[in-house]
Each structure stands twice: as C-alpha cells, then as structure tokens.
C-alpha cells in the first residue's frame, strides 16, 4: 500500500514549487506555450484557407452563372 501512495505523491512540495520548477519553470512553461501556439496555428490556418478557397470558388460560380443569364 505504501508504494501506491508514493506513486501518487506530488514531486513538488506545493503548487507554486511545481510552477517555478526550481527556477526552470519559465523555460518549461514558455516551451508549452510555444508548442500550443504552433499547434493552434497548424489547425486554424488550413480551416481559414479552406474557407477562403470555397468563397473564391462560389464567387466565380456566381459570376459565371450571372454571365450566362445575361447572355441568354
């Protein structure tokens, strides 16, 4: 039972100690933040690009449809 309790024990004395990580917290949390931003950009950019392409295709379709209507 003691081993199980030891496995679940925090490696730091307090939450503040976990955040500062012995003076290295700034580097660690900055790395997490940079990673999060990169992943977010990798998800959002293609979505916005797809919407832009779809809007361009729709405008072109509408333009051709209006031109065909005017020609007839």
């Amino acid at each position: 039972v003691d081993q199980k309790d030891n496995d679940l024990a925090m490696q730091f004395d307090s939450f503040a100690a976990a955040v500062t990580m012995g003076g290295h917290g700034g580097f660690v949390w900055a790395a997490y933040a940079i990673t999060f931003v990169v992943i977010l950009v990798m998800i959002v950019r293609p979505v916005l690009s797809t919407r832009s392409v779809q809007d361009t295709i729709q405008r072109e379709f509408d333009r051709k449809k209006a031109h065909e209507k005017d020609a007839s």
Side-chain angles (χ1 to χ4, degrees), residues 30-51:
Y32 275 112
I34 291 168
T35 302
F36 175 76
V37 168
V38 168
I39 291 172
L40 187 65
V41 167
M42 290 176 67
I43 292 170
V44 170
R45 191 170 177 200
V47 170
L48 295 177
S49 179
T50 300
R51 287 183 185 171

Side-chain angles (χ1 to χ4, degrees), residues 14-36:
S14 67
F15 181 74
V19 171
T20 59
M21 294 183 185
H24 300 292
F27 300 108
V28 173
W29 296 116
Y32 275 112
I34 291 168
T35 302
F36 175 76

Side-chain angles (χ1 to χ4, degrees), residues 1-69:
V1 176
D2 290 333
Q3 181 63 29
K4 183 178 180 182
D5 291 340
N6 194 20
D7 289 343
L8 299 176
M10 284 189 56
Q11 299 299 317
F12 297 98
D13 295 331
S14 67
F15 181 74
V19 171
T20 59
M21 294 183 185
H24 300 292
F27 300 108
V28 173
W29 296 116
Y32 275 112
I34 291 168
T35 302
F36 175 76
V37 168
V38 168
I39 291 172
L40 187 65
V41 167
M42 290 176 67
I43 292 170
V44 170
R45 191 170 177 200
V47 170
L48 295 177
S49 179
T50 300
R51 287 183 185 171
S52 175
V53 169
Q54 288 173 340
D55 290 344
T56 302
I57 292 169
Q58 185 65 46
R59 282 193 306 272
E60 183 68 20
F61 176 77
D62 292 343
R63 186 186 65 79
K64 286 184 179 182
K65 189 174 179 182
H67 180 71
E68 289 174 2
K69 184 178 179 183

